[in-house]
Amino acid sequence: MLIAVLLLVLSVSARAHGGADTADAHEGHAEKAASQKGRLSLQNTAEIQHCLVNAGDVGCGVFECFENNSCEIRGLQEICMTFLHNAGKFDSQGKSFIKDALKCMAHGLRHKFSCISRKCLAIKDMVFQLQRECYMKHNLCSAAKDNVNVIVEMIHFQDLFPKGPYVELVNILLGCGEEVKEAIGRSVRAQCEQHWGALCETLSFCSSAPPSGSPERRPANPSNPEHDHLRASRQGDKEKPAKGGSGAHPRGRGQGSRRASLDAAMAEQEDPETTDIRR
């Protein structure tokens, strides 16, 4: 009797563990399927929403909510921490930009995330659009122009991979005038060469454009169809016999007449439709 009871308990326990394992496997499969379909998993969605509610208004807590997710949206927290770490190096206008832009981003993420779909592409587009709106609204370019050296120190080559909010920030900065663009280009090019060496020269971002004052290189023998056609026409005109006037030789006129007749005959042979009609 005791043995039967023990066997029954072991059987029930095994079924319970088996059911739990099956549920865990099913949940893991669902999470993986959601990731493969390009959607934020339900678990990640709930975690981010919970994190956004509890995150404080000061600091980078809101941006930290997006660091670990199935859509691989990373970089917002790094941008926030980099700005705060270098805030003391900015002038008063730069400090105001950092404060207002980060506040704008945090407020926008809180309100827009709950209204966006779970598609990764839609979430990334929302983040990039929010970056552009907040950066432009609070004059990122003005702050960058007045603090070029600090901006350049903040940009690190290894953070440009993979593409994300950090790359979006750099792309916006590249549109803030030639001074900012050239300073960032020199810095990224130097860092690129440190990491990749000669391979960096093959990248369009790292390749230097020719100076604006240098003459444009042209091929030694340019091919111009119109020029060649005109030259051939002129050469043909020179080779044609002069039009006969009152003093022209009768033999030349006879040769011209025979040549015209020959050309007309050849034209009829090359145009079968005309030949058929005349027949």
Side-chain angles (χ1 to χ4, degrees), residues 47-246:
E47 291 174 350
I48 292 175
Q49 289 176 342
H50 179 73
C51 179
L52 290 174
V53 171
N54 295 322
D57 296 330
V58 181
C60 302
V62 171
F63 308 106
E64 187 178 1
C65 297
F66 289 87
E67 284 305 298
N68 298 316
N69 56 76
S70 57
C71 287
E72 298 183 353
I73 303 172
R74 301 184 182 93
L76 291 173
Q77 184 187 18
E78 181 67 21
I79 293 173
C80 177
M81 295 179 64
T82 302
F83 270 125
L84 293 182
H85 179 73
N86 293 277
K89 302 177 183 179
F90 283 83
D91 59 11
S92 58
Q93 183 182 5
K95 290 181 174 68
S96 297
F97 162 77
I98 294 174
K99 176 183 176 182
D100 296 337
L102 293 180
K103 183 178 179 180
C104 174
M105 286 285 297
H107 179 79
L109 289 173
R110 271 200 176 106
H111 286 76
K112 292 187 175 183
F113 180 76
S114 59
C115 303
I116 201 72
S117 71
R118 292 194 298 115
K119 292 183 178 180
C120 294
L121 183 59
I123 298 174
K124 290 179 180 179
D125 288 343
M126 180 269 291
V127 171
F128 295 157
Q129 181 180 0
L130 188 59
Q131 278 185 284
R132 290 190 291 269
E133 291 177 357
C134 292
Y135 293 160
M136 295 298 101
K137 179 180 179 181
H138 298 288
N139 300 319
L140 169 63
C141 287
S142 297
K145 292 176 181 178
D146 295 336
N147 301 270
V148 177
N149 294 333
V150 186
I151 290 292
V152 170
E153 292 178 6
M154 291 171 50
I155 298 174
H156 304 290
F157 178 75
Q158 63 271 19
D159 294 331
L160 298 177
F161 307 95
K163 182 181 179 182
Y166 194 92
V167 175
E168 186 67 18
L169 169 61
V170 175
N171 283 333
I172 296 173
L173 286 170
L174 291 175
C176 291
E178 288 299 321
E179 182 183 1
V180 177
K181 180 179 179 180
E182 291 178 3
I184 293 175
R186 287 193 300 268
S187 175
V188 173
R189 189 180 304 115
Q191 295 180 55
C192 178
E193 290 173 353
Q194 291 178 358
H195 285 79
W196 291 354
L199 180 61
C200 181
E201 297 179 359
T202 64
L203 299 178
S204 59
F205 185 87
C206 297
S207 60
S208 56
S212 57
S214 61
E216 182 181 358
R217 292 183 179 179
R218 296 180 180 273
N221 296 317
S223 177
N224 190 331
E226 295 182 359
H227 178 74
D228 295 341
H229 177 69
L230 290 174
R231 185 168 57 186
S233 300
R234 292 173 183 173
Q235 187 68 22
D237 293 340
K238 292 180 181 179
E239 294 176 356
K240 287 182 180 179
K243 294 182 179 179
S246 58

